[in-house]
Amino acid sequence: CGGSISDSSGVLQSPNYPGSYPNDADCVWEIQVQNNFRVTLTFRDIAMQSGTCQHDYIEVYDGPLHSSPLLGRFCSGSFPTYVSSSNMMSVRFHSDSRYSFRGFQAHYSSIPAGHNTTIQCLPDYMHVVVSRDYLQSQGYSAQGVTLDDSHCRPTVTSQEVVFNIPYNGCGTIQEENNDTINYSNTIRVASSGYIIKRKKNVNLHVSCKMLRKSWQQVMYAAEDTVDVNEYQFGRYDMNITFYDSPAFLRQVRSSPYYIDLNQNLYLQACLHNSDPNLKVVVDTCVASPDRHDFNTLAYYLVRNGCPRDSSYATFYSPSSHFARFKFNAFEFMSRHPSVYLKCQMLVCRLGDFSSRCYRGCSTRAKRDTSSAEETVDVVVGPLQLRGGDAPRGS
């Protein structure tokens, strides 16, 4: 149960709904809609163990589960509706080992945020757009919108003032907070009055924060400014490619990738990000004949940094943004015409030796929040056996 959801609308429901949900369930759904939209969530049915909500309950968070305000916790009563302040919302369902009931069903959809200032955290920079109509309505001019670094100037169009602020320049500050990596800068909007100044200058603070499985984008105003609050969420830009040899010089561009049994397969994961102080490692790789189901028929090559297949091995990488590894085409493939790989990558701060990127094999089931790290899932494939090695009748 649970998972990441990116559709603009849909239905959430407890496992087995409308049948009885299982005991000891703990499901988390992360709903992420388009940038500059919000999530609205309405519950249509709730049938759970009532009372103090200590045993079975539903929680709704205004963003990622571990780093966002709790909008509500309940187990019975009226059917509430929640609206996020960003394009992301998390829903958690928990049950204990005692009683079981029908559970819940909820519907979600996306609605336009309708803001005059927007921010996107792209792989290499913060993209900030300020409406000129909004500036003029507040008595400000587009010519008065600047960064502290005068070399980094915005693009001014007839309708917008656009900043592309790199994470590694233009005065961007990098900080590490608990399990977040923060990139922040300040856009200053100066009043046009020189002799008689009737308006305060605006300091518009923009930041991108790394949180668990997403970028959190934050925009807020200093105490003496017009209040602007904008939260958006995105994903790391990561891909995995096959190579034809351990030299990692020539990519395999054919899809599907036809292989022989016991053939060595070489893969490279690449993080596309301008921050040089990030490190990528392979945490988990699992194979399945169904690209949408990595649970029913699953074969783990590596899990939580622990190799499960004897042929799995890692290679030295010339960049901390790359992770290189290999394995052999395994017997699992002789029973299925094609196989997909789903790999979970870890992204941590370079040199943070307390993070999972440096700890190797980990048997801990729970995430260690003492350091900044993020997990990113990438699916590659299909892999198919060559015609001469096709499976025979069973």
Side-chain angles (χ1 to χ4, degrees):
C1 61
S4 298
I5 302 171
S6 58
D7 296 332
S8 60
S9 62
V11 177
L12 300 185
Q13 56 192 28
S14 50
N16 302 329
Y17 180 89
S20 297
Y21 52 76
N23 291 326
D24 299 315
D26 199 56
C27 314
V28 178
W29 293 268
E30 288 186 340
I31 307 170
Q32 180 185 330
V33 296
Q34 294 181 51
N35 281 335
N36 303 311
F37 278 72
R38 299 179 185 229
V39 182
T40 177
L41 178 74
T42 301
F43 286 84
R44 304 288 179 85
D45 185 23
I46 303 172
M48 301 170 62
Q49 184 177 356
S50 60
T52 59
C53 299
Q54 294 298 310
H55 306 290
D56 299 352
Y57 55 83
I58 303 166
E59 292 178 331
V60 180
Y61 290 86
D62 192 13
L65 177 70
H66 296 292
S67 54
S68 302
L70 178 66
L71 295 177
R73 179 176 181 174
F74 53 93
C75 56
S76 61
S78 60
F79 300 158
T81 294
Y82 297 97
V83 179
S84 66
S85 62
S86 70
N87 67 327
M88 192 171 185
M89 176 187 284
S90 294
V91 180
R92 181 189 181 196
F93 168 72
H94 176 83
S95 66
D96 68 1
S97 58
R98 302 177 69 188
Y99 306 107
S100 185
F101 297 84
R102 186 170 68 247
F104 78 91
Q105 185 182 74
H107 290 237
Y108 79 89
S109 60
S110 55
I111 56 175
H115 292 313
N116 296 299
T117 306
T118 61
I119 177 173
Q120 291 178 283
C121 290
L122 301 177
D124 295 321
Y125 55 87
M126 291 181 273
H127 180 73
V128 184
V129 178
V130 184
S131 163
R132 289 191 66 174
D133 287 343
Y134 169 70
L135 289 172
Q136 291 167 4
S137 70
Q138 300 299 315
Y140 296 101
S141 167
Q143 281 64 42
V145 183
T146 61
L147 290 177
D148 284 342
D149 187 338
S150 59
H151 294 94
C152 300
R153 297 180 179 178
T155 299
V156 180
T157 70
S158 60
Q159 296 180 321
E160 301 168 333
V161 179
V162 181
F163 283 93
N164 290 326
I165 308 172
Y167 299 128
N168 206 39
C170 289
T172 298
I173 298 172
Q174 303 176 18
E175 297 177 305
E176 189 165 338
N177 253 338
N178 296 326
D179 64 340
T180 65
I181 304 169
N182 303 342
Y183 302 92
S184 59
N185 210 313
T186 302
I187 297 173
R188 305 196 184 278
V189 184
S191 173
S192 57
Y194 294 100
I195 299 174
I196 300 176
K197 192 170 186 178
R198 302 187 184 277
K199 287 186 174 290
K200 297 177 180 178
N201 292 338
V202 172
N203 292 328
L204 189 64
H205 300 278
V206 293
S207 67
C208 291
K209 294 184 179 181
M210 174 72 77
L211 295 169
R212 286 186 72 239
K213 296 184 179 180
S214 64
W215 285 96
Q216 179 191 14
Q217 307 178 35
V218 184
M219 182 181 297
Y220 63 95
E223 292 180 358
D224 62 343
T225 67
V226 178
D227 287 332
V228 179
N229 294 285
E230 182 74 22
Y231 301 85
Q232 297 297 316
F233 294 84
R235 300 287 180 184
Y236 262 133
D237 187 6
M238 179 92 71
N239 73 312
I240 296 179
T241 52
F242 288 97
Y243 282 78
D244 64 357
S245 78
F248 291 92
L249 295 177
R250 291 188 299 274
Q251 290 186 22
V252 176
R253 301 188 182 277
S254 59
S255 181
Y257 181 17
Y258 289 95
I259 59 175
D260 300 312
L261 278 181
N262 297 318
Q263 175 182 338
N264 281 327
L265 304 179
Y266 304 95
L267 300 92
Q268 175 177 274
C270 178
L271 171 67
H272 302 283
N273 192 275
S274 62
D275 183 0
N277 297 309
L278 296 176
K279 178 178 175 64
V280 176
V281 299
V282 183
D283 182 69
T284 298
C285 266
V286 57
S288 169
D290 184 349
R291 71 173 303 154
H292 303 292
D293 181 2
F294 287 88
N295 296 308
T296 306
L297 292 174
Y299 179 83
Y300 282 90
L301 299 168
V302 56
R303 191 170 190 177
N304 298 325
C306 305
R308 294 293 188 87
D309 183 278
S310 60
S311 70
Y312 176 84
T314 58
F315 291 86
Y316 166 79
S317 173
S319 167
S320 62
H321 281 202
F322 296 155
R324 293 174 170 179
F325 57 103
K326 72 100 175 175
F327 63 92
N328 291 352
F330 35 86
E331 187 65 24
F332 182 81
M333 285 207 63
S334 67
R335 301 190 298 274
H336 305 284
S338 60
V339 168
Y340 295 85
L341 293 179
K342 180 179 181 180
C343 294
Q344 185 175 76
M345 314 302 298
L346 285 178
V347 183
C348 310
R349 292 298 286 172
L350 187 64
D352 180 4
F353 295 100
S354 66
S355 70
R356 284 173 59 191
C357 289
Y358 289 90
R359 290 207 305 265
C361 178
S362 173
T363 57
R364 297 184 58 179
K366 292 185 178 180
R367 166 184 158 83
D368 184 349
T369 58
S370 63
S371 58
E373 58 196 42
E374 168 174 336
T375 59
V376 182
D377 290 339
V378 182
V379 176
V380 291
L383 298 171
Q384 293 189 1
L385 290 174
R386 296 186 196 278
D389 295 309
R392 298 172 184 175
S394 56

